Amino acid sequence: MEEKAVRALVWMRPEQAGLIARACAVARLAIAGVGGPGRLGVSSARAMDAPLIDDLRATLASADADVLLLADPDDLGLPGDRSGADAVLEARARGMTVASLEPIPSSAVDLAGGRWLSSASGVRAVDVVRIVPITRRGGVADDFSDVLDAFGPVRTLRVMLDAPPTLGSLAARAFDAFELILGLLGEPESIDAAFVGPGSGPAVHAVPGETLRGLAGTLAALVRTSDGRAATISVSNAAPADEASIVIFGPGGRLDVGNAGLRWLAPDGAVTDQNPPRPLAPEAEGDRGSDRLGRAIRAWLDTTRPPPAPVAVERVLASVQAAVLSTRTGQPESPATIRRMVGVE
């Protein structure tokens, strides 16, 4: 039986055309329409050779498609957005899957200030949006999830996630890294972070309440937990290619997972397990970011598997915002303090 085409609408910038075309091919999506922020919509549709859609909220409220891919979410979830949460709930009510490269809403403050925690039929608006790709829910994380029980509790962790700007802002990379940290270590007690912009001039420090999507460059952070464990993070959206490296230390020794595959070294240095990297899908044309994004979208659409648990968006956004606050104050900051400050538990 021929597989039914999955119809997708895309909201994007013109420079994302190559990435999105390859990712949609990997995900086996048929692009039915394309739009973009402001005047970029026409250029985006032309770059994808697709019909133009010119109103994002009208698309969420009434468009006939299976998937809406937000490669650039425009102003959805930004400060002052009062209709976005209702719009994504309307999309879900019609059976549309909403996938976004960026966290929506864009910060813990915006999460608390909008209607994103409101629900319809028991589902919150914030949980309707599928953030893609997420490392712990696919990609290289699939390579170590099966061995963690045998490896033992994670004691320390090093996370490096780099990507080009077409795959999202620095907020997207930071969201991904802290989602991984929360999954492996729990919520950080403190985060001591530094931000370096992409240019040669002084770094520009964002302040709480400003959109995290506006950040571009590199974020480095030292993460401490209340039980004495720690992690280091380095994330960037100014890299030439999609790269991931995760190093885990624990009772089992050292576990290295990344683009090169998996290698587990016992405490005495012996190789306990080793796997080569998974081959890229032919449709990705050698681009790892397209492959990772396309596979992530496909996984969300796979109805043969139990749906994954929702991402703990409140806690992830609180950790990201604590890191951003730390870049401004020069001091370690607490995600729990951020959650209390904005009234999100």
Side-chain angles (χ1 to χ4, degrees):
M1 180 182 296
E2 185 176 351
E3 185 177 0
K4 180 183 177 182
V6 179
R7 300 175 68 249
L9 304 174
V10 182
W11 200 261
M12 53 172 269
R13 305 186 307 276
E15 61 268 27
Q16 295 175 296
L19 168 78
I20 297 305
R22 292 187 294 268
C24 287
V26 172
R28 300 192 290 279
L29 302 180
I31 299 176
V34 174
R39 297 180 180 179
L40 296 179
V42 173
S43 300
S44 296
R46 186 179 298 122
M48 297 292 284
D49 192 23
L52 173 67
I53 54 175
D54 58 6
D55 189 316
L56 178 56
R57 280 168 178 72
T59 297
L60 282 162
S62 61
D64 179 20
D66 302 296
V67 177
L68 174 62
L69 175 58
L70 302 172
D72 184 318
D74 206 342
D75 62 350
L76 198 68
L78 293 182
D81 173 21
R82 297 297 180 218
S83 63
D86 292 334
V88 300
L89 286 172
E90 290 175 357
R92 179 187 180 274
R94 298 195 321 281
M96 180 185 286
T97 295
V98 181
S100 174
L101 272 63
E102 299 287 343
I104 298 176
S106 62
S107 72
V109 169
D110 300 324
L111 174 69
R115 291 172 48 83
W116 294 98
L117 297 179
S118 62
S119 64
S121 302
V123 178
R124 302 182 309 171
V126 70
D127 296 325
V128 171
V129 181
R130 312 302 194 184
I131 310 301
V132 290
I134 293 290
T135 297
R136 196 169 67 93
R137 295 160 186 263
V140 298
D142 285 343
D143 296 330
F144 69 74
S145 59
D146 293 339
V147 303
L148 272 181
D149 286 344
F151 182 82
V154 177
R155 290 175 179 164
T156 58
L157 181 66
R158 293 206 300 261
V159 178
M160 185 277 286
L161 301 176
D162 292 344
T166 50
L167 198 56
S169 70
L170 186 59
R173 303 284 72 78
F175 186 96
D176 191 1
F178 280 109
E179 202 280 336
L180 179 65
I181 294 293
L182 265 71
L184 295 179
L185 294 180
E187 185 174 54
E189 181 178 52
S190 67
I191 301 169
D192 192 355
F195 167 61
V196 180
S200 58
V204 178
H205 298 301
V207 299
E210 290 183 349
T211 171
L212 301 183
R213 282 189 218 152
L215 291 178
T218 301
L219 182 78
L222 171 63
V223 176
R224 295 182 175 90
T225 66
S226 59
D227 59 1
R229 296 183 293 166
T232 57
I233 291 175
S234 174
V235 293
S236 178
N237 75 324
D242 188 53
E243 298 284 345
S245 174
I246 301 165
V247 181
I248 299 172
F249 293 92
R254 170 175 168 151
L255 193 60
D256 290 68
V257 188
N259 292 358
L262 176 146
R263 188 177 66 156
W264 176 358
L265 296 180
D268 63 2
V271 177
T272 302
D273 197 358
Q274 192 163 355
N275 294 319
R278 291 181 302 173
L280 302 183
E283 298 86 350
E285 301 177 8
D287 177 37
R288 194 174 302 277
S290 298
D291 181 83
R292 192 161 68 97
L293 176 57
R295 289 180 187 272
I297 296 169
R298 195 69 197 175
W300 278 116
L301 299 174
D302 187 355
T303 58
T304 65
R305 298 181 179 182
V311 172
V313 178
E314 305 99 306
R315 292 180 180 270
V316 178
L317 285 177
S319 291
V320 174
Q321 197 149 0
V324 174
L325 177 59
S326 175
T327 68
R328 176 174 173 265
T329 64
Q331 302 292 329
E333 300 293 345
S334 166
T337 299
I338 296 292
R339 289 194 290 108
R340 287 194 297 271
M341 180 182 71
V342 300
V344 172
E345 294 298 328

